[in-house]
Amino acid sequence: EAQVTQNPRYLITVTGKKLTVTCSQNMNHEYMSWYRQDPGLGLRQIYYSMNVEVTDKGDVPEGYKVSRKEKRNFPLILESPSPNQTSLYFCASREGAGGANVLTFGAGSRLTVL
Amino acid sequence: DAKTTQPTSMDCAEGRAANLPCNHSTISGNEYVYWYRQIHSQGPQYIIHGLKNNETNEMASLIITEDRKSSTLILPHATLRDTAVYYCIVRASLNSGYSTLTFGKGTMLLVSP
């Protein structure tokens, strides 16, 4: 089944404790992206990647890092999480440039930073 | 990007057609209309997209006015599982590279028994 898999689905952590949210897709998609969703603010893009070793900032990149060493994986790294990063996170992927803007989303990762 | 305007919320009776409107009066010639939906706290799901012709797939129909300034997403026989937030997004598609989809607030559709 074509899908985007995120882990963990739920995580409670404390301020300053580094964490990584993994994202993997099995569709051989070139483009991958991370969004966060907060009440009243909608979905906002954090980072995106157009291909292996190519990443770029989205609208709200502060406090986050990403890497794209393999085509299928696009982990989101919070080096020193803070309470304002408590949010619902979604990873998404799509085909390469020239195709339709059809994103496939993961099920989401709910992160709480105390 | 063209800005879209959608009603905040709509109600629909189960089994009836749900017609969700979207205004995009500043749409340009190469911009497509996309519809996604998000069931509570799940990942958004692609529904349909179109340029100027009406489109239909197994999930829904998309009707775009001739001047392309508005469109309507039609769920022909709404079920309780169609209760979700529906996002109308306008964005250039083919040959536009990796253009980001910007999700607004959408329309909360509540389907009732």
Side-chain angles (χ1 to χ4, degrees):
Chain A
E1 181 187 355
Q3 60 186 358
V4 176
T5 303
Q6 299 178 222
N7 281 296
R9 294 289 315 281
Y10 302 91
L11 179 64
I12 300 174
T13 190
V14 295
T15 299
K17 186 176 181 181
K18 180 180 178 180
L19 68 92
T20 299
V21 186
T22 63
C23 174
S24 180
Q25 50 93 5
N26 63 0
M27 296 165 282
N28 201 37
H29 284 169
E30 291 183 358
Y31 177 93
M32 297 185 74
S33 178
W34 276 102
Y35 288 83
R36 63 177 287 175
Q37 186 170 34
D38 304 288
L41 297 176
L43 278 155
R44 295 179 292 170
Q45 190 179 50
I46 304 171
Y47 269 96
Y48 63 95
S49 168
M50 295 185 285
N51 215 323
V52 176
E53 302 292 358
V54 181
T55 63
D56 212 341
K57 297 177 181 178
D59 299 319
V60 287
E62 295 78 20
Y64 304 95
K65 287 175 60 177
V66 292
S67 69
R68 189 88 182 275
K69 294 186 172 62
E70 306 166 281
K71 197 172 188 179
R72 64 182 292 127
N73 296 322
F74 190 45
L76 179 70
I77 303 157
L78 285 72
E79 294 270 2
S80 183
S82 62
N84 64 11
Q85 292 179 297
T86 292
S87 187
L88 178 57
Y89 292 87
F90 291 103
C91 180
S93 72
R94 55 158 281 189
E95 294 177 337
N101 244 316
V102 178
L103 287 165
T104 300
F105 282 83
S109 296
R110 187 170 292 279
L111 171 66
T112 301
V113 183
L114 302 175
Chain B
D1 298 336
K3 184 177 177 179
T4 62
T5 303
Q6 299 177 253
T8 302
S9 63
M10 294 184 65
D11 294 324
C12 180
E14 189 177 21
R16 305 297 294 271
N19 297 282
L20 293 94
C22 180
N23 287 320
H24 31 79
S25 58
T26 59
I27 192 170
S28 60
N30 68 339
E31 289 183 313
Y32 286 66
V33 180
Y34 290 85
W35 284 85
Y36 282 74
R37 75 179 182 183
Q38 186 176 22
I39 297 170
H40 181 63
S41 293
Q42 295 182 20
Q45 176 190 26
Y46 165 79
I47 301 173
I48 199 168
H49 75 284
L51 182 63
K52 54 183 178 181
N53 297 320
N54 298 336
E55 302 287 345
T56 295
N57 63 20
E58 65 279 3
M59 289 183 68
S61 294
L62 174 60
I63 308 297
I64 302 174
T65 57
E66 194 167 338
D67 63 8
R68 302 210 322 124
K69 293 184 177 182
S70 66
S71 60
T72 301
L73 178 75
I74 301 171
L75 308 178
H77 305 286
T79 71
L80 299 180
R81 288 177 294 181
D82 291 322
T83 292
V85 177
Y86 287 77
Y87 299 98
C88 170
I89 305 166
V90 174
R91 189 66 184 181
S93 182
L94 298 180
N95 301 317
S96 66
Y98 295 96
S99 53
T100 299
L101 288 178
T102 300
F103 290 79
K105 296 193 187 312
T107 296
M108 175 65 217
L109 175 68
L110 176 62
V111 181
S112 303

